[in-house]
C-alpha cells in the first residue's frame, strides 16, 4: 500500500514516515500543498495523510481541489485544531477522517488501516444497456470493450447514469462535475460530452437536447 504524507514540519514528517514504514507501507513525502497535488497527479496513492497547516496551499484547499478533480483517494486530515467547527470544516472539504495533534502512533495506524479498508471495498456499479461504470475505480465497459476515462469524464458519466433518460442541463453538469462557474465554462461541459460520446462508441448513447443540455438514452 502506498501512502502520501503531506506535512511541512520536518520532525513530525520523519516520525510519520518511520511509523508508517515500520507498519509495512510504502511512504512518499511532501512538504507543500502544490507539491502534493503534483505527486497525486503523477501517481495516485492508496491514501493521503494531509496536514491542514501547509506553507503554500492549506490542507483544506488541497482536499477541495482533489475532490473537484474527481479524485476520491482516501484522505486523513491532521491538525492541531480540535474545535468541532474545525473538524466539520475538514470533513466538508472532502476529508474521510480527521486526527488531532498530538496523537499516538497506534491511533494513526488504526485510522490508516480503516481508510485503506474503505478504499478497497467493492466499487458501486452503474449500468445502462450494455454500458457499465465502476464508480470507485472510474472505469467503464461497453459490451466487451474497456473504456478509459479521465476523472471528469467518469464524473460526468456517473451523473448521466444516475439520471437515465432525464435531461441534464449544462449548468447542472458544471456544478456537479466541475464545482461551478468559477472552475470552468459551459464550453468545457460541451467538450467533455463530445469526448465521452466518442469513447462510448456506436450506437450513440448520449443525446443532445438543443439549448438545454444532454440525456443518456432516448
Amino acid at each position: 500500500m502506498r501512502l502520501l504524507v503531506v506535512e511541512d514540519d520536518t520532525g513530525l514528517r520523519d516520525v510519520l514516515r518511520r511509523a508508517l514504514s515500520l507498519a509495512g507501507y510504502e511512504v512518499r513525502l511532501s512538504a507543500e500543498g502544490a507539491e502534493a497535488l503534483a505527486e497525486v497527479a503523477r501517481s495516485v496513492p492508496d491514501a493521503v495523510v494531509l496536514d491542514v497547516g501547509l506553507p503554500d496551499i492549506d490542507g483544506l484547499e488541497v482536499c477541495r481541489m482533489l475532490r473537484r478533480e474527481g479524485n476520491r483517494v482516501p484522505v486523513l486530515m491532521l491538525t492541531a485544531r480540535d474545535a468541532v467547527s474545525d473538524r466539520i470544516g475538514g470533513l466538508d472539504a472532502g476529508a474521510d477522517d480527521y486526527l488531532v495533534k498530538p496523537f499516538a502512533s497506534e491511533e494513526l495506524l488504526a485510522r490508516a488501516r480503516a481508510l485503506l479498508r474503505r478504499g478497497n471495498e467493492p466499487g458501486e456499479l452503474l449500468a445502462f444497456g450494455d454500458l457499465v461504470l465502476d464508480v470507485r475505480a472510474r472505469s467503464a465497459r461497453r459490451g466487451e470493450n474497456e473504456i478509459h476515462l479521465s476523472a471528469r469524464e467518469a464524473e460526468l458519466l456517473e451523473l448521466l447514469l444516475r439520471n437515465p433518460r432525464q435531461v441534464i442541463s449544462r449548468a447542472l453538469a458544471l456544478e456537479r462535475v466541475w464545482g461551478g462557474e468559477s472552475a470552468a465554462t459551459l464550453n468545457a461541459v460541451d467538450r467533455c460530452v463530445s469526448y465521452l460520446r466518442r469513447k462510448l462508441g456506436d450506437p450513440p448513447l448520449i443525446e443532445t437536447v438543443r439549448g438545454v443540455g444532454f440525456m443518456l438514452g432516448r
Side-chain angles (χ1 to χ4, degrees):
M1 290 289 184
R2 295 176 297 113
L3 302 183
L4 174 62
V5 173
V6 190
E7 169 61 64
D8 66 315
D9 182 281
T10 305
L12 180 55
R13 190 168 65 242
D14 192 51
V15 168
L16 292 167
R17 180 190 59 77
R18 286 202 309 272
L20 293 168
S21 296
L22 287 172
Y25 298 111
E26 178 185 336
V27 181
R28 289 163 28 209
L29 301 175
S30 180
E32 297 183 345
E35 181 183 11
L37 290 168
E39 282 284 341
V40 173
R42 277 193 290 271
S43 178
V44 179
D46 294 295
V48 178
V49 180
L50 177 62
D51 185 38
V52 170
L54 298 173
D56 54 347
I57 309 170
D58 71 57
L60 295 176
E61 184 58 25
V62 169
C63 195
R64 291 190 194 100
M65 292 171 74
L66 287 173
R67 299 310 186 224
R68 283 198 295 266
E69 288 294 320
N71 195 311
R72 296 182 179 179
V73 60
V75 173
L76 172 60
M77 195 78 76
L78 304 181
T79 182
R81 307 168 191 167
D82 61 357
V84 172
S85 59
D86 293 318
R87 299 184 190 195
I88 292 172
L91 296 173
D92 283 347
D96 297 274
D97 200 358
Y98 195 93
L99 186 58
V100 177
K101 303 174 187 177
F103 49 81
S105 295
E106 292 81 0
E107 183 178 8
L108 169 71
L109 294 174
R111 289 177 182 264
R113 288 194 297 270
L115 275 188
L116 291 166
R117 282 197 302 271
R118 200 178 310 164
N120 285 327
E121 291 173 353
E124 178 185 6
L125 299 179
L126 299 176
F128 182 87
D130 61 349
L131 173 66
V132 179
L133 172 70
D134 183 323
V135 175
R136 184 181 298 279
R138 297 200 299 274
S139 62
R141 298 188 67 85
R142 188 172 184 191
E144 297 300 317
N145 299 318
E146 184 175 356
I147 302 168
H148 298 283
L149 302 172
S150 69
R152 291 261 196 258
E153 291 164 351
E155 290 283 326
L156 182 58
L157 182 56
E158 179 184 350
L159 179 61
L160 290 165
L161 282 167
R162 291 191 186 279
N163 300 276
R165 297 191 175 93
Q166 297 180 43
V167 178
I168 302 297
S169 70
R170 290 175 174 84
L172 178 62
L174 188 61
E175 176 63 32
R176 295 284 182 86
V177 179
W178 282 263
E181 293 184 6
S182 61
T185 66
L186 295 178
N187 286 337
V189 178
D190 291 338
R191 286 195 299 272
C192 191
V193 168
S194 177
Y195 297 150
L196 185 56
R197 185 183 281 129
R198 189 179 309 137
K199 288 185 177 184
L200 295 181
D202 294 321
L205 288 176
I206 302 174
E207 179 181 350
T208 298
V209 181
R210 191 174 299 278
V212 182
F214 311 91
M215 180 170 63
L216 184 67
R218 294 178 179 271

